[in-house]
């Protein structure tokens, strides 16, 4: 059974179509790498160094750059440029619980507290990290405009200005990297400094450059990441996606940053990296590079439509089978309903007969109760007994106590005298009616 993370990784590999040009701005040189990303693997199609770009006319080294890309068939590609560390302020901002659509607004709200530039205009960009955090890069507007003018003068189309932490983070996740217990990776920059990159649960990203030994740099990084001191550092090329084809001149152990930058620019939708270049200055690559993605999206859409259509067809077949079973069993159900109705009718008849049988007994008990209550010398000349009432006519020495006597019985209640007259023998002639109580 494939895990969810495995499915995601496979899907990302399937959608990994694109090509990218990564340029690292060095103190004097430009380090350039060109990559071609496909589901079958990553191919580094070229690596080139433009010497002394700071002292040469922009048009001159721009022509050298164009010839290099033209030889690779990549003249249409826009570059992703890795800015020097000194020009970018990098911050990690924790935004737990903030919806994706609200992240940019939340960063903008606290942007002034994230950089030391005061009232100077700045450019900034962000990319998502793990654990509800984001990586934010901030650069002075005049610095970004200076580099943008430099590349425009050289005729180099640029789609992104990014920084090393964002580029490496994006490149690692190009093929669906899963979060793990943490690591520290080391490499050498073009200037010979120790480039350190690491990740951990306590700090999603750590990136720094040191002018110290690799062992000392690794210890500092482990401390910042709160990883065990015995964690073995890796080479940066070990955590980056491994290219299936890599020219000899692209020595990743010497400087892997241009390669990582090219990967970040090849598939920006799958592995986004923070871009501090203003939108209006970005140059997009040819739309032809998106044709494979569009084709795959169309195939995925057709598969989805086919799945929905098959689901409806299967549901119709199921309903048809169900209707057939209902038709086959309907006579039995109707017969069962008829038997149920007959049983209810017989039960009602039996209950009615029981009621009639018990009513006779109840009437006899009521008459017996009246015989007990109306003792001599009281005598009854007329007794009318209905289902819910009794009417008594007779004579007694005193009629008034009869009301209380009748109401004291559990068979009668609400006794009321209708007629009380003096009899010839000096007693009272009476007619009393009372309500019969419920059956005791």
């Amino acid at each position: 059974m494939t895990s969810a993370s495995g499915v995601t990784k496979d899907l990302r590999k399937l959608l990994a179509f694109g090509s990218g040009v990564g340029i690292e701005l060095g103190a004097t040189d430009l380090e350039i790498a060109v990559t071609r990303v496909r589901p079958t693997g990553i191919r580094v199609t070229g690596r080139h160094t433009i010497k002394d770009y700071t002292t040469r006319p922009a048009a001159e080294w721009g022509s050298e750059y164009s010839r290099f890309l033209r030889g690779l068939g990549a003249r249409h590609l826009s570059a992703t440029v890795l800015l020097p560390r000194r020009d970018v302020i990098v911050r990690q901002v924790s935004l737990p619980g903030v919806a994706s659509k609200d992240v940019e607004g939340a960063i903008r709200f606290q942007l002034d507290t994230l950089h030391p530039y005061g009232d100077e205009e700045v450019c900034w960009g962000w990319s998502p990290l793990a654990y509800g955090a984001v990586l934010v890069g901030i650069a002075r507007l005049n610095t970004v405009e200076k580099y943008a003018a430099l590349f425009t003068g050289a005729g180099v189309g640029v789609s992104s200005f990014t920084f090393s932490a964002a580029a490496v983070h994006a490149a690692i996740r190009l093929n669906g990297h899963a979060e793990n217990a943490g690591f520290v990776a080391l490499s050498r920059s073009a200037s010979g400094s120790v480039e350190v990159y690491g990740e951990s649960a306590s700090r999603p990203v750590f990136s720094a450059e040191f002018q110290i030994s690799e062992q000392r740099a690794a210890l500092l990084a482990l401390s910042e990441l709160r990883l065990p001191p015995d964690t073995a550092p890796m080479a940066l090329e070990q955590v980056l996606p491994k290219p299936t084809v890599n020219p000899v001149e692209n020595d990743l152990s010497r400087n892997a940053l241009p390669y990582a930058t090219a990967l970040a620019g090849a598939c920006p939708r799958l592995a986004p990296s923070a871009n501090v270049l203003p939108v209006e200055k970005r140059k997009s690559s040819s739309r032809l590079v998106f044709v494979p993605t569009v084709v795959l999206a169309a195939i995925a859409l057709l598969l989805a439509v086919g799945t929905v259509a098959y689901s409806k067809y299967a549901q119709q077949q199921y309903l048809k089978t169900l209707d057939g079973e209902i038709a086959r069993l309907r006579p039995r159900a109707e017969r069962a309903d008829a038997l149920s109705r007959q049983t209810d009718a017989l039960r009602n008849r039996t209950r009615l007969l029981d009621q009639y049988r018990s009513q006779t007994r109840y009437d006899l008990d009521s008459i017996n109760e009246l015989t007990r209550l109306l003792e001599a010398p009281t005598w009854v000349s007329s007794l009318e007994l209905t289902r819910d009432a009794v009417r008594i006519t007779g004579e007694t020495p005193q009629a008034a106590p009869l009301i209380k006597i009748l109401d004291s019985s559990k068979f009668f209640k609400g006794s009321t005298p209708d007629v009380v007259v003096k009899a010839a023998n000096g007693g009272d002639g009476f007619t009393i009616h009372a309500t019969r109580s419920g059956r005791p």
Side-chain angles (χ1 to χ4, degrees):
M1 186 183 219
T2 305
S3 65
S5 60
V7 173
T8 302
K9 185 174 180 179
D10 292 341
L11 182 59
R12 290 172 69 89
K13 285 185 176 181
L14 183 65
L15 298 177
F17 272 90
S19 298
V21 178
I23 301 177
E24 180 186 7
L25 281 172
T28 59
D29 301 338
L30 296 179
E31 297 289 341
I32 307 167
V34 182
T35 59
R36 183 173 180 269
V37 180
R38 296 293 185 269
T40 54
I42 299 170
R43 181 188 181 97
V44 180
T45 57
R47 175 70 182 262
H48 185 67
T49 301
I50 296 180
K51 298 289 187 179
D52 300 323
Y53 77 97
T54 56
T55 59
R56 296 165 59 188
E60 180 182 326
W61 63 262
S63 298
E64 181 182 346
Y65 173 85
S66 297
R67 288 194 299 272
F68 169 65
L69 290 190
R70 190 180 300 112
L72 301 176
R75 184 69 183 86
H76 62 286
L77 295 178
S78 299
T80 299
V81 178
L82 191 70
L83 296 179
R85 285 182 176 273
R86 65 179 181 275
D87 293 324
V88 184
I89 298 294
V90 180
R91 296 284 186 265
Q92 292 183 47
V93 182
S94 180
L95 299 173
V98 178
S100 299
K101 61 183 180 64
D102 299 325
V103 168
E104 187 162 334
I107 298 172
R108 192 183 302 276
F109 179 75
Q110 55 183 314
L111 185 63
D112 291 341
T113 66
L114 300 179
H115 65 82
Y117 299 139
D119 294 334
E120 291 187 63
E121 292 189 68
V122 296
C123 299
W124 61 282
W126 66 277
S127 54
L129 300 177
Y131 315 112
V134 294
L135 188 66
V136 182
I138 307 169
R140 288 185 175 94
L141 176 61
N142 57 10
T143 300
V144 173
E145 289 180 338
K146 178 188 72 174
Y147 287 125
L150 176 68
F151 284 100
T152 299
V156 177
V158 177
S159 61
S160 173
F161 281 170
T162 189
F163 46 94
S164 60
V168 175
H169 183 269
I172 290 175
R173 281 152 184 81
L174 181 63
N175 288 337
H177 169 80
E179 305 301 332
N180 52 31
F183 65 88
V184 170
L186 306 177
S187 70
R188 287 285 179 179
S189 65
S191 62
S193 302
V194 178
E195 183 80 24
V196 181
Y197 179 88
E199 297 180 8
S200 71
S202 60
R203 187 164 182 177
V205 167
F206 173 75
S207 178
E209 188 179 66
F210 297 105
Q211 295 288 346
I212 55 178
S213 67
E214 292 187 356
Q215 183 179 5
R216 179 61 180 163
L219 289 175
L220 290 174
L222 291 174
S223 176
E224 288 288 338
L225 293 166
R226 298 181 183 177
L227 293 175
D230 57 349
T231 302
M234 298 184 291
L236 182 59
E237 64 267 22
Q238 290 179 280
V239 299
L240 293 173
K242 186 176 181 180
T244 55
V245 176
N246 190 36
V248 176
E249 60 270 20
N250 187 40
D251 185 0
L252 297 181
S253 63
R254 184 179 64 86
N255 185 12
L257 289 180
Y259 170 65
T261 306
L263 291 180
C267 301
R269 295 184 183 276
L270 287 181
S273 63
N275 186 357
V276 301
L277 183 65
V279 176
E280 63 274 9
K281 296 182 180 295
R282 300 174 188 177
K283 305 293 184 182
S284 62
S285 300
S286 171
R287 295 180 180 178
L288 292 176
V289 298
F290 296 106
V291 169
T293 302
V294 173
V295 171
L296 283 176
I299 293 174
L301 180 62
L302 289 175
L303 289 175
V305 172
T307 301
V308 173
Y310 177 77
S311 176
K312 290 184 177 179
Y313 170 77
Q315 185 177 13
Q316 290 175 354
Q317 291 299 110
Y318 175 74
L319 290 176
K320 184 177 179 180
T321 303
L322 191 61
D323 290 340
E325 287 297 308
I326 291 173
R328 184 176 66 83
L329 296 174
R330 183 177 288 114
R332 298 183 185 179
E334 292 176 349
R335 192 179 308 115
D337 288 342
L339 291 174
S340 178
R341 288 193 296 269
Q342 292 176 9
T343 302
D344 290 341
L346 291 173
R347 188 179 293 113
N348 290 334
R349 290 181 183 179
T350 303
R351 188 181 301 113
L352 185 59
L353 290 173
D354 289 341
Q355 289 176 354
Y356 277 120
R357 189 180 298 112
S358 62
Q359 183 64 36
T360 302
R361 180 64 183 173
Y362 179 49
D363 292 343
L364 292 174
D365 289 342
S366 297
I367 294 171
N368 186 48
E369 179 72 2
L370 286 173
T371 303
R372 185 183 66 81
L373 294 174
L374 302 177
E375 297 177 342
T378 301
W379 60 273
V380 176
S381 62
S382 174
L383 176 63
E384 182 182 349
L385 189 67
T386 64
R387 180 63 58 84
D388 53 8
V390 62
R391 188 179 182 86
I392 309 166
T393 303
E395 291 185 14
T396 186
Q398 288 186 350
L402 294 180
I403 303 300
K404 186 175 180 180
I405 292 172
L406 289 173
D407 286 343
S408 66
S409 172
K410 60 185 177 182
F411 286 88
F412 307 104
K413 63 182 179 179
S415 302
T416 305
D418 292 338
V419 178
V420 178
V421 297
K422 286 294 183 179
N425 58 2
D428 292 337
F430 64 87
T431 298
I432 300 174
H433 76 270
T435 302
R436 300 179 68 179
S437 299
R439 298 185 180 185

